[in-house]
Amino acid sequence: DKGAYPYYMLKEVDEQPAVMRRIVSEYFDQAGNPSVDEAILAEMAKADHIYIIGAGTSYHAGLVGARLLEKYAHIPTSVNISSEFAYDRPLLSQKPFFIFLSQSGETADSRQVLVDVNEHQWPSLTLTNVDKSTLSREATFTMLLYAGPEIAVASTKAYTAQIAVEAVLAKALGMYLADDQAQAFDLRAQLGAVANGMQAITDSKEDLEAIAARFLSKPRNAFYIGRGLDWTVSIEAALKLKEISYVQAEGFASGELKHGTIALIEEGTPVIGIITQDRTAGLTRSNLEETQARGANAITIVARHLAQDNDTIVIPDVDADLTPLLSVVPAQLLAYYTSLGKGLDVDKPRNLAKSVTVM
Ligand code: F6R
């Protein structure tokens, strides 16, 4: 039931702080240590390579998870689009471990990969929002997202829940492997800070509605740009805008713009820079300025400690690897208000189904 909300999507965006807190209560013990089934950690510890498999938004969440797993567990991790992996399987390592990301647990493209994985008797873990879903039943292990039912076609809280659960897994596996950095990473406190930060962003809806109306309601195309983790959020942000507002949006590695795509920038093209990482903030800013010099309307989503006078949207500071949990939220709301402003059916965009059970 969406209660007083006009659309499920807005309700689900607003539920994200509560989902973060639920994940903390499900996956941490009294002492503040992550509690993950030891059988999962023991199996993962044997792997020489982790293959994350997902489609759409779940694939995007995997891009963030890979970074966390590599940082804390030191196991090389690649992220794969399920429909590609199913028909063009790359050369695998000797001891692969598979992580399936799927909100619904029913995506046919991802299941196709799992069938192959099971035929080879490779170990697997599904992160899903739906207990006893197909991908949960057929994988070796399951971890639930605890996001509550997601009804809107555009995935929001499942993306942030997937990243949070991946972070729990990365910390737990890192600790299991006796990594000092994993031990020192106070993820429980950080997820609490994330929940508060999400709340602050969802409390500023009016600003985001105004930005959407001013910059995104008319143009037929738009760009999100960033580097590293900010790039991974840029492709998720662009997907949200595309699927519910029908603006042709592209997420782009900002350093790549000058290698061709900048030709598309014209007067009034919205270019939204995501800037949360110390090492690349200056670079993304100068890429954004290059688009501005060609007529773009530059908009910024910036972590507070990097903010400057003219920034558009400033988000609270959290652990550098967890910034996607916050930077995506304004993008979800910009997509929502752009769709709403055009009078579209936000929850049920054309041509799309909630769960894609065909290949
Ligand atoms: C986008 C969206 C889709 C899904 C994709 C995978 O907002 O919802 O891209 O993420 O169809 O679905 P799941 O996660 O259920 O496997």
Side-chain angles (χ1 to χ4, degrees), residues 55-58 101-107 110 135 150 153-155 162 236 239-240 243 354 356:
T57 290
S58 292
L101 296 181
S102 180
Q103 188 284 129
S104 63
E106 301 297 342
T107 297
S110 302
L135 284 156
E150 193 181 64
V153 162
S155 183
Q162 281 174 332
E236 169 59 11
L239 178 59
K240 289 292 91 92
E243 67 180 329
K354 179 60 181 162
V356 185

Side-chain angles (χ1 to χ4, degrees), residues 83-116:
S83 60
E84 285 295 305
F85 196 96
Y87 299 95
D88 266 309
R89 197 173 79 205
L91 178 64
L92 300 186
S93 68
Q94 293 295 312
K95 288 185 168 303
F97 185 92
F98 287 84
I99 298 178
F100 289 85
L101 296 181
S102 180
Q103 188 284 129
S104 63
E106 301 297 342
T107 297
D109 288 324
S110 302
R111 172 151 194 265
Q112 172 90 344
V113 180
L114 181 52
V115 168
D116 183 34

